[in-house]
Amino acid sequence: MIVTIFKNPHSFTGENTVEINCHGSTFIQQKIIELLINNGAKLALPGEFSKRAFLNGKLDLSQTEAIADLISSKSSAAHEIAIKQLKGGISSELKTLRNKLIEFASLIELELDFSEEDVEFADRKHLNELIQNLIAHVDQLKKSFQYGNAIKNGVSTVIAGRPNAGKSTLLNNILNENRAIVSSIAGTTRDTIEEIITINGIDFRLVDTAGIRNTEDEIEKIGVAKTLEKINQSSLVIYIYDSLLTTHKEVNEDLSKYIVNKVPCLVIANKIDLLKSSIEIPKDHLTASLKNSPKTAEIKNSIFELFERNNVHNESVIISNMRHFEALELAYNELIKVEKGLSENIPGDLIAMDIRQVLYYIGTITGDISSDELLGNIFANFCIGK
Protein backbone atom coordinates (compact mmCIF):
# COMPACT_ATOMS: atom_id res chain seq x y z
CA MET A 1 0.00 0.00 0.00
CA ILE A 2 1.27 3.49 -0.89
CA VAL A 3 0.06 6.65 0.87
CA THR A 4 0.66 10.00 -0.87
CA ILE A 5 0.15 13.36 0.84
CA PHE A 6 -0.85 16.47 -1.14
CA LYS A 7 -0.54 19.68 0.90
CA ASN A 8 -2.62 22.79 0.33
CA PRO A 9 -2.77 24.91 -1.71
CA HIS A 10 -1.12 22.68 -4.32
CA SER A 11 -3.61 19.79 -4.20
CA PHE A 12 -6.51 19.41 -6.64
CA THR A 13 -9.04 20.58 -4.04
CA GLY A 14 -6.81 23.23 -2.48
CA GLU A 15 -6.96 21.34 0.84
CA ASN A 16 -4.68 18.84 2.55
CA THR A 17 -5.38 15.54 0.82
CA VAL A 18 -4.25 11.96 1.34
CA GLU A 19 -4.35 9.46 -1.51
CA ILE A 20 -4.18 5.70 -0.83
CA ASN A 21 -3.08 3.26 -3.53
CA CYS A 22 -3.71 -0.35 -2.58
CA HIS A 23 -4.22 -3.86 -3.94
CA GLY A 24 -7.07 -4.19 -6.44
CA SER A 25 -8.97 -6.67 -4.26
CA THR A 26 -12.48 -5.41 -3.49
CA PHE A 27 -12.20 -7.01 -0.03
CA ILE A 28 -9.00 -5.09 0.75
CA GLN A 29 -10.49 -1.81 -0.50
CA GLN A 30 -13.58 -2.30 1.65
CA LYS A 31 -11.52 -3.03 4.75
CA ILE A 32 -9.48 0.17 4.25
CA ILE A 33 -12.67 2.21 3.81
CA GLU A 34 -14.16 0.68 6.98
CA LEU A 35 -10.97 1.50 8.90
CA LEU A 36 -11.06 5.11 7.71
CA ILE A 37 -14.76 5.53 8.57
CA ASN A 38 -14.20 4.05 12.05
CA ASN A 39 -11.57 6.72 12.59
CA GLY A 40 -13.77 9.67 11.65
CA ALA A 41 -13.70 9.79 7.84
CA LYS A 42 -16.92 10.08 5.83
CA LEU A 43 -17.79 8.86 2.35
CA ALA A 44 -17.49 11.43 -0.43
CA LEU A 45 -20.67 12.66 -2.09
CA PRO A 46 -21.00 12.77 -5.91
CA GLY A 47 -18.64 15.43 -7.26
CA GLU A 48 -17.41 16.38 -3.79
CA PHE A 49 -13.74 16.76 -4.74
CA SER A 50 -14.60 18.88 -7.78
CA LYS A 51 -16.99 20.96 -5.68
CA ARG A 52 -14.28 21.59 -3.07
CA ALA A 53 -11.88 22.61 -5.86
CA PHE A 54 -14.48 25.14 -7.04
CA LEU A 55 -15.25 26.47 -3.55
CA ASN A 56 -11.53 26.87 -2.85
CA GLY A 57 -10.96 28.78 -6.09
CA LYS A 58 -8.89 26.12 -7.85
CA LEU A 59 -11.38 25.86 -10.72
CA ASP A 60 -14.36 27.90 -11.84
CA LEU A 61 -17.76 26.28 -12.32
CA SER A 62 -17.43 25.73 -16.07
CA GLN A 63 -14.11 23.96 -15.50
CA THR A 64 -15.56 21.64 -12.89
CA GLU A 65 -18.39 20.75 -15.28
CA ALA A 66 -15.73 19.94 -17.88
CA ILE A 67 -14.46 17.17 -15.58
CA ALA A 68 -17.80 15.37 -15.83
CA ASP A 69 -17.85 15.91 -19.60
CA LEU A 70 -14.32 14.56 -19.86
CA ILE A 71 -15.23 11.39 -17.97
CA SER A 72 -18.36 10.80 -20.06
CA SER A 73 -16.83 11.71 -23.45
CA LYS A 74 -17.23 8.93 -26.00
CA SER A 75 -15.32 10.35 -28.95
CA SER A 76 -12.05 12.17 -29.54
CA ALA A 77 -13.92 15.35 -30.57
CA ALA A 78 -16.00 15.36 -27.35
CA HIS A 79 -12.82 14.68 -25.37
CA GLU A 80 -11.07 17.62 -27.04
CA ILE A 81 -13.92 20.04 -26.28
CA ALA A 82 -13.93 18.97 -22.62
CA ILE A 83 -10.14 19.39 -22.37
CA LYS A 84 -10.33 22.93 -23.79
CA GLN A 85 -13.07 23.80 -21.30
CA LEU A 86 -11.09 22.31 -18.43
CA LYS A 87 -8.07 24.38 -19.44
CA GLY A 88 -10.20 27.51 -19.16
CA GLY A 89 -11.07 28.21 -22.80
CA ILE A 90 -14.67 29.18 -22.02
CA SER A 91 -13.63 30.96 -18.83
CA SER A 92 -11.16 33.14 -20.73
CA GLU A 93 -13.72 33.97 -23.41
CA LEU A 94 -16.35 34.90 -20.81
CA LYS A 95 -13.83 37.00 -18.90
CA THR A 96 -13.22 39.04 -22.05
CA LEU A 97 -16.96 39.40 -22.55
CA ARG A 98 -17.48 40.34 -18.91
CA ASN A 99 -14.79 43.05 -19.09
CA LYS A 100 -16.51 44.59 -22.11
CA LEU A 101 -19.82 44.54 -20.25
CA ILE A 102 -18.27 46.18 -17.21
CA GLU A 103 -16.75 48.88 -19.44
CA PHE A 104 -20.18 49.54 -20.90
CA ALA A 105 -21.89 49.52 -17.51
CA SER A 106 -19.28 51.84 -15.96
CA LEU A 107 -19.91 54.49 -18.62
CA ILE A 108 -23.65 54.35 -17.99
CA GLU A 109 -23.25 54.33 -14.19
CA LEU A 110 -20.83 57.26 -14.34
CA GLU A 111 -23.34 59.34 -16.23
CA LEU A 112 -25.96 58.49 -13.61
CA ASP A 113 -23.67 59.78 -10.85
CA PHE A 114 -23.48 63.13 -12.62
CA SER A 115 -27.02 63.18 -13.98
CA GLU A 116 -27.81 66.51 -12.31
CA GLU A 117 -24.88 68.16 -14.12
CA ASP A 118 -26.13 66.75 -17.44
CA VAL A 119 -22.68 65.32 -18.24
CA GLU A 120 -22.27 62.71 -20.99
CA PHE A 121 -19.15 60.56 -20.59
CA ALA A 122 -19.61 58.52 -23.74
CA ASP A 123 -21.35 59.48 -26.95
CA ARG A 124 -24.22 57.28 -27.99
CA LYS A 125 -22.43 56.25 -31.17
CA HIS A 126 -19.63 54.66 -29.12
CA LEU A 127 -22.15 52.90 -26.86
CA ASN A 128 -24.07 51.58 -29.85
CA GLU A 129 -20.89 50.17 -31.39
CA LEU A 130 -19.97 48.58 -28.07
CA ILE A 131 -23.37 46.93 -27.61
CA GLN A 132 -23.34 45.67 -31.23
CA ASN A 133 -19.97 44.01 -30.58
CA LEU A 134 -21.30 42.44 -27.39
CA ILE A 135 -24.41 41.10 -29.14
CA ALA A 136 -22.28 39.64 -31.95
CA HIS A 137 -19.91 38.04 -29.39
CA VAL A 138 -22.69 36.34 -27.44
CA ASP A 139 -24.47 35.29 -30.63
CA GLN A 140 -21.27 33.61 -31.88
CA LEU A 141 -20.98 31.64 -28.65
CA LYS A 142 -24.65 30.64 -28.87
CA LYS A 143 -24.27 29.41 -32.44
CA SER A 144 -21.37 27.17 -31.45
CA PHE A 145 -23.76 25.19 -29.22
CA GLN A 146 -25.37 23.45 -32.20
CA TYR A 147 -21.95 22.04 -33.07
CA GLY A 148 -20.84 21.41 -29.48
CA ASN A 149 -24.06 19.69 -28.44
CA ALA A 150 -23.92 17.42 -31.50
CA ILE A 151 -20.32 16.52 -30.70
CA LYS A 152 -21.15 15.81 -27.07
CA ASN A 153 -24.29 13.72 -27.62
CA GLY A 154 -23.73 12.37 -31.13
CA VAL A 155 -24.98 13.80 -34.42
CA SER A 156 -28.56 12.64 -35.03
CA THR A 157 -28.50 11.29 -38.61
CA VAL A 158 -31.75 9.94 -40.06
CA ILE A 159 -31.72 7.51 -42.99
CA ALA A 160 -34.94 8.18 -44.92
CA GLY A 161 -36.55 7.34 -48.25
CA ARG A 162 -39.31 5.34 -49.87
CA PRO A 163 -39.79 1.62 -49.13
CA ASN A 164 -37.14 -0.73 -50.57
CA ALA A 165 -34.80 2.16 -51.43
CA GLY A 166 -31.94 0.54 -49.50
CA LYS A 167 -32.08 2.28 -46.12
CA SER A 168 -31.52 -0.83 -43.99
CA THR A 169 -28.83 -2.07 -46.38
CA LEU A 170 -26.99 1.21 -45.94
CA LEU A 171 -27.18 0.93 -42.15
CA ASN A 172 -25.85 -2.63 -42.26
CA ASN A 173 -23.03 -1.64 -44.62
CA ILE A 174 -21.89 1.26 -42.45
CA LEU A 175 -22.05 -0.85 -39.28
CA ASN A 176 -20.51 -3.83 -41.08
CA GLU A 177 -23.11 -6.13 -39.52
CA ASN A 178 -26.66 -7.31 -40.18
CA ARG A 179 -28.30 -4.96 -37.70
CA ALA A 180 -31.51 -4.34 -39.68
CA ILE A 181 -33.70 -6.85 -41.52
CA VAL A 182 -33.36 -6.50 -45.29
CA SER A 183 -36.19 -7.83 -47.45
CA SER A 184 -37.67 -7.27 -50.90
CA ILE A 185 -41.07 -6.91 -49.20
CA ALA A 186 -41.99 -3.23 -48.93
CA GLY A 187 -42.59 -1.92 -45.42
CA THR A 188 -40.32 -4.39 -43.61
CA THR A 189 -39.00 -1.68 -41.28
CA ARG A 190 -41.86 -0.56 -39.03
CA ASP A 191 -39.97 1.09 -36.17
CA THR A 192 -36.75 3.09 -35.92
CA ILE A 193 -33.39 1.39 -35.35
CA GLU A 194 -30.59 3.47 -33.82
CA GLU A 195 -26.87 2.74 -33.72
CA ILE A 196 -23.79 4.90 -33.08
CA ILE A 197 -20.75 5.00 -35.35
CA THR A 198 -17.65 7.17 -35.06
CA ILE A 199 -16.39 8.95 -38.18
CA ASN A 200 -13.17 10.98 -37.92
CA GLY A 201 -13.52 11.23 -34.14
CA ILE A 202 -17.18 12.34 -34.14
CA ASP A 203 -20.10 10.15 -33.04
CA PHE A 204 -23.05 9.90 -35.45
CA ARG A 205 -26.33 8.40 -34.22
CA LEU A 206 -27.66 6.65 -37.31
CA VAL A 207 -31.44 6.16 -37.34
CA ASP A 208 -32.93 3.69 -39.82
CA THR A 209 -36.59 4.52 -40.40
CA ALA A 210 -39.73 3.15 -42.02
CA GLY A 211 -40.16 3.84 -45.74
CA ILE A 212 -42.21 6.96 -46.47
CA ARG A 213 -45.41 6.21 -48.38
CA ASN A 214 -49.18 6.37 -48.10
CA THR A 215 -50.43 3.16 -46.52
CA GLU A 216 -53.59 1.72 -44.99
CA ASP A 217 -51.63 -0.51 -42.60
CA GLU A 218 -52.12 1.02 -39.13
CA ILE A 219 -48.77 -0.17 -37.77
CA GLU A 220 -46.90 1.05 -40.85
CA LYS A 221 -48.71 4.41 -40.55
CA ILE A 222 -47.27 4.79 -37.06
CA GLY A 223 -43.82 3.94 -38.42
CA VAL A 224 -44.09 6.56 -41.18
CA ALA A 225 -45.27 9.19 -38.67
CA LYS A 226 -42.28 8.39 -36.46
CA THR A 227 -39.99 8.72 -39.51
CA LEU A 228 -41.24 12.23 -40.21
CA GLU A 229 -40.86 13.14 -36.55
CA LYS A 230 -37.26 11.87 -36.50
CA ILE A 231 -36.43 13.83 -39.67
CA ASN A 232 -37.59 17.10 -38.11
CA GLN A 233 -35.55 16.40 -34.96
CA SER A 234 -32.37 15.39 -36.78
CA SER A 235 -29.12 17.22 -37.46
CA LEU A 236 -28.58 15.43 -40.78
CA VAL A 237 -30.70 13.42 -43.20
CA ILE A 238 -29.52 10.74 -45.63
CA TYR A 239 -32.19 10.41 -48.31
CA ILE A 240 -31.89 7.24 -50.41
CA TYR A 241 -33.90 6.51 -53.53
CA ASP A 242 -34.16 3.65 -55.99
CA SER A 243 -32.71 5.13 -59.20
CA LEU A 244 -34.72 2.61 -61.26
CA LEU A 245 -38.16 3.39 -59.83
CA THR A 246 -37.98 6.98 -58.59
CA THR A 247 -37.82 9.96 -60.96
CA HIS A 248 -35.85 13.11 -60.19
CA LYS A 249 -39.14 15.00 -59.95
CA GLU A 250 -40.37 12.57 -57.28
CA VAL A 251 -37.07 12.90 -55.39
CA ASN A 252 -37.38 16.68 -55.35
CA GLU A 253 -41.01 16.45 -54.25
CA ASP A 254 -40.04 14.15 -51.36
CA LEU A 255 -37.20 16.46 -50.29
CA SER A 256 -39.37 19.59 -50.30
CA LYS A 257 -42.32 17.84 -48.63
CA TYR A 258 -40.65 15.80 -45.91
CA ILE A 259 -37.30 17.45 -45.11
CA VAL A 260 -38.20 20.77 -43.53
CA ASN A 261 -36.41 23.20 -41.18
CA LYS A 262 -33.48 23.29 -43.64
CA VAL A 263 -31.99 20.06 -42.29
CA PRO A 264 -28.76 19.32 -44.25
CA CYS A 265 -29.35 16.37 -46.56
CA LEU A 266 -27.15 13.86 -48.36
CA VAL A 267 -28.97 12.35 -51.36
CA ILE A 268 -27.92 8.86 -52.51
CA ALA A 269 -29.06 7.28 -55.79
CA ASN A 270 -29.05 3.54 -55.11
CA LYS A 271 -29.03 0.52 -57.48
CA ILE A 272 -27.01 2.51 -59.98
CA ASP A 273 -25.52 -0.70 -61.42
CA LEU A 274 -28.97 -1.64 -62.81
CA LEU A 275 -29.62 1.78 -64.32
CA LYS A 276 -29.79 2.33 -68.07
CA SER A 277 -27.02 4.59 -69.37
CA SER A 278 -29.55 6.99 -70.90
CA ILE A 279 -30.74 8.18 -67.47
CA GLU A 280 -28.62 10.91 -65.90
CA ILE A 281 -28.12 11.35 -62.17
CA PRO A 282 -27.78 14.89 -60.76
CA LYS A 283 -24.16 15.77 -59.93
CA ASP A 284 -25.00 16.56 -56.29
CA HIS A 285 -26.45 13.05 -55.77
CA LEU A 286 -24.04 10.39 -54.52
CA THR A 287 -24.35 7.23 -56.63
CA ALA A 288 -24.06 3.74 -55.17
CA SER A 289 -24.94 0.09 -55.53
CA LEU A 290 -25.37 -0.68 -51.84
CA LYS A 291 -25.93 -4.39 -52.42
CA ASN A 292 -22.97 -5.05 -54.75
CA SER A 293 -20.57 -2.11 -54.38
CA PRO A 294 -21.51 -0.31 -51.16
CA LYS A 295 -18.97 2.59 -51.31
CA THR A 296 -19.05 2.58 -47.51
CA ALA A 297 -15.90 4.69 -47.04
CA GLU A 298 -17.07 7.30 -49.55
CA ILE A 299 -20.51 7.52 -47.96
CA LYS A 300 -19.04 7.88 -44.45
CA ASN A 301 -16.74 10.66 -45.66
CA SER A 302 -19.71 12.40 -47.31
CA ILE A 303 -21.70 12.23 -44.05
CA PHE A 304 -18.79 13.77 -42.14
CA GLU A 305 -18.26 16.51 -44.74
CA LEU A 306 -21.97 17.36 -44.74
CA PHE A 307 -21.89 17.83 -40.97
CA GLU A 308 -18.72 19.96 -41.02
CA ARG A 309 -19.98 22.08 -43.92
CA ASN A 310 -23.26 22.96 -42.21
CA ASN A 311 -22.10 23.75 -38.71
CA VAL A 312 -20.96 27.21 -37.68
CA HIS A 313 -18.54 27.09 -34.79
CA ASN A 314 -15.70 29.03 -33.23
CA GLU A 315 -12.48 27.04 -33.52
CA SER A 316 -11.19 28.19 -30.12
CA VAL A 317 -14.35 28.15 -27.98
CA ILE A 318 -17.28 25.76 -28.41
CA ILE A 319 -20.29 25.68 -26.08
CA SER A 320 -21.46 22.12 -25.43
CA ASN A 321 -23.23 22.50 -22.09
CA MET A 322 -27.00 23.14 -22.13
CA ARG A 323 -26.82 25.20 -18.93
CA HIS A 324 -24.24 27.50 -20.50
CA PHE A 325 -26.32 27.87 -23.66
CA GLU A 326 -29.44 28.78 -21.68
CA ALA A 327 -27.50 31.42 -19.71
CA LEU A 328 -26.13 32.88 -22.95
CA GLU A 329 -29.63 32.91 -24.44
CA LEU A 330 -30.90 34.92 -21.46
CA ALA A 331 -27.91 37.25 -21.65
CA TYR A 332 -28.50 37.77 -25.39
CA ASN A 333 -32.14 38.71 -24.82
CA GLU A 334 -31.11 41.29 -22.20
CA LEU A 335 -28.52 42.76 -24.59
CA ILE A 336 -31.23 43.18 -27.22
CA LYS A 337 -33.19 45.16 -24.59
CA VAL A 338 -30.16 47.38 -24.02
CA GLU A 339 -29.78 47.95 -27.76
CA LYS A 340 -33.44 48.92 -28.00
CA GLY A 341 -33.13 51.16 -24.96
CA LEU A 342 -30.23 53.07 -26.49
CA SER A 343 -32.09 53.59 -29.76
CA GLU A 344 -35.16 54.87 -27.89
CA ASN A 345 -33.11 57.02 -25.47
CA ILE A 346 -34.64 55.48 -22.36
CA PRO A 347 -33.20 56.58 -18.97
CA GLY A 348 -29.70 55.36 -18.14
CA ASP A 349 -30.76 53.73 -14.86
CA LEU A 350 -33.05 51.32 -16.79
CA ILE A 351 -30.26 50.47 -19.22
CA ALA A 352 -27.92 49.89 -16.28
CA MET A 353 -30.42 47.41 -14.78
CA ASP A 354 -30.44 45.39 -18.02
CA ILE A 355 -26.63 45.37 -18.16
CA ARG A 356 -26.44 44.14 -14.57
CA GLN A 357 -28.82 41.33 -15.56
CA VAL A 358 -26.51 40.37 -18.45
CA LEU A 359 -23.56 40.29 -16.03
CA TYR A 360 -25.61 38.08 -13.71
CA TYR A 361 -26.35 35.49 -16.42
CA ILE A 362 -22.72 35.42 -17.58
CA GLY A 363 -21.61 35.06 -13.97
CA THR A 364 -23.77 31.96 -13.45
CA ILE A 365 -21.73 30.10 -16.09
CA THR A 366 -18.38 30.48 -14.37
CA GLY A 367 -19.78 30.49 -10.83
CA ASP A 368 -19.05 34.14 -10.06
CA ILE A 369 -22.73 34.09 -9.15
CA SER A 370 -24.09 30.83 -7.82
CA SER A 371 -26.50 29.35 -5.30
CA ASP A 372 -26.56 26.21 -3.19
CA GLU A 373 -29.43 24.89 -5.32
CA LEU A 374 -27.48 25.43 -8.55
CA LEU A 375 -24.35 23.78 -7.16
CA GLY A 376 -26.39 20.89 -5.79
CA ASN A 377 -27.98 20.24 -9.19
CA ILE A 378 -24.65 20.36 -11.01
CA PHE A 379 -22.58 18.16 -8.70
CA ALA A 380 -25.38 15.64 -8.14
CA ASN A 381 -24.66 14.35 -11.66
CA PHE A 382 -20.96 13.69 -10.95
CA CYS A 383 -19.41 10.34 -10.14
CA ILE A 384 -18.58 9.62 -6.50
CA GLY A 385 -14.93 10.38 -5.87
CA LYS A 386 -14.66 12.99 -8.63
Side-chain angles (χ1 to χ4, degrees):
M1 184 171 68
I2 300 173
V3 177
T4 307
I5 298 174
F6 299 91
K7 292 191 174 182
N8 71 73
H10 305 295
S11 67
F12 173 75
T13 62
E15 302 171 348
N16 290 328
T17 307
V18 175
E19 184 177 287
I20 299 174
N21 289 277
C22 66
H23 193 281
S25 165
T26 304
F27 173 75
I28 297 296
Q29 293 173 18
Q30 191 62 40
K31 282 298 180 183
I32 293 173
I33 291 173
E34 288 177 5
L35 180 63
L36 293 172
I37 291 175
N38 290 336
N39 283 274
K42 66 175 184 177
L43 292 174
L45 297 173
E48 182 155 346
F49 289 92
S50 298
K51 185 176 182 179
R52 289 182 182 224
F54 164 69
L55 294 175
N56 291 322
K58 300 290 288 186
L59 302 170
D60 69 26
L61 197 53
S62 68
Q63 289 175 300
T64 60
E65 288 172 295
I67 295 172
D69 289 343
L70 189 61
I71 293 169
S72 62
S73 61
K74 298 176 182 177
S75 67
S76 60
H79 181 271
E80 184 180 348
I81 289 176
I83 285 290
K84 286 182 178 179
Q85 185 175 329
L86 182 58
K87 289 181 177 179
I90 292 177
S91 306
S92 177
E93 190 77 9
L94 293 179
K95 183 178 180 181
T96 300
L97 180 60
R98 190 176 176 85
N99 288 339
K100 290 179 181 178
L101 284 164
I102 290 173
E103 176 192 351
F104 186 97
S106 63
L107 293 172
I108 297 294
E109 298 279 2
L110 196 57
E111 287 187 0
L112 288 174
D113 291 340
F114 292 88
S115 58
E116 294 182 0
E117 284 80 4
D118 196 27
V119 178
E120 189 175 87
F121 288 90
D123 61 63
R124 286 301 180 261
K125 181 180 178 182
H126 172 68
L127 290 178
N128 275 310
E129 289 177 354
L130 191 55
I131 200 66
Q132 289 296 332
N133 288 335
L134 288 167
I135 289 173
H137 198 157
V138 173
D139 190 47
Q140 184 182 40
L141 290 172
K142 277 175 51 194
K143 285 179 178 177
S144 74
F145 177 72
Q146 181 180 359
Y147 180 85
N149 187 54
I151 294 294
K152 183 177 179 179
N153 298 308
V155 184
S156 176
T157 307
V158 170
I159 304 173
R162 298 187 177 192
N164 275 356
K167 299 181 297 299
S168 297
T169 301
L170 173 63
L171 179 69
N172 290 342
N173 288 346
I174 293 177
L175 297 175
N176 196 28
E177 63 174 284
N178 292 324
R179 176 64 179 85
I181 298 173
V182 176
S183 169
S184 59
I185 301 172
T188 302
T189 302
R190 300 296 185 93
D191 202 353
T192 58
I193 300 174
E194 298 192 23
E195 290 291 340
I196 294 179
I197 186 169
T198 303
I199 306 174
N200 296 339
I202 295 178
D203 283 347
F204 290 82
R205 289 188 289 110
L206 299 179
V207 185
D208 184 22
T209 60
I212 302 172
R213 68 171 178 176
N214 293 322
T215 177
E216 297 303 319
D217 187 298
E218 289 300 321
I219 296 177
E220 192 176 353
K221 276 184 179 180
I222 295 172
V224 172
K226 189 172 288 188
T227 295
L228 299 178
E229 181 183 358
K230 288 289 184 180
I231 288 174
N232 291 323
Q233 294 172 348
S234 67
S235 299
L236 302 178
V237 172
I238 303 172
Y239 175 86
I240 304 178
Y241 68 94
D242 185 329
S243 57
L244 291 173
L245 302 177
T246 313
T247 65
H248 298 162
K249 181 182 178 181
E250 289 172 327
V251 170
N252 291 330
E253 287 175 351
D254 282 358
L255 294 176
S256 60
K257 183 177 181 180
Y258 301 122
I259 303 175
V260 295
N261 300 329
K262 296 182 179 180
V263 180
C265 182
L266 173 66
V267 181
I268 300 177
N270 190 23
K271 305 179 184 179
I272 197 71
D273 56 319
L274 303 176
L275 190 64
K276 294 180 180 179
S277 58
S278 59
I279 300 177
E280 292 186 4
I281 300 296
K283 292 182 179 180
D284 58 341
H285 292 190
L286 189 66
T287 59
S289 173
L290 296 176
K291 186 176 180 180
N292 300 317
S293 181
K295 289 188 176 181
T296 304
E298 183 179 348
I299 292 173
K300 287 166 69 174
N301 286 333
S302 296
I303 294 170
F304 177 80
E305 289 171 4
L306 180 67
F307 172 70
E308 285 287 289
R309 201 165 54 241
N310 288 278
N311 279 275
V312 179
H313 61 277
N314 186 317
E315 289 294 340
S316 58
V317 177
I318 297 172
I319 303 298
S320 62
N321 186 300
M322 176 61 79
R323 189 183 71 83
H324 301 173
F325 172 76
E326 290 174 345
L328 288 169
E329 184 77 22
L330 292 169
Y332 180 84
N333 293 337
E334 291 297 328
L335 285 171
I336 295 299
K337 286 184 185 179
V338 174
E339 179 187 34
K340 183 179 179 182
L342 286 174
S343 65
E344 296 177 354
N345 290 316
I346 69 169
D349 54 343
L350 297 179
I351 293 177
M353 286 176 61
D354 290 333
I355 286 293
R356 282 195 289 269
Q357 198 62 36
V358 177
L359 285 167
Y360 171 82
Y361 291 132
I362 297 298
T364 61
I365 297 176
T366 56
D368 293 321
I369 298 168
S370 59
S371 64
D372 290 340
E373 182 180 5
L374 172 64
L375 297 181
N377 288 337
I378 290 173
F379 290 106
N381 296 318
F382 276 60
C383 302
I384 294 175
K386 294 295 184 285

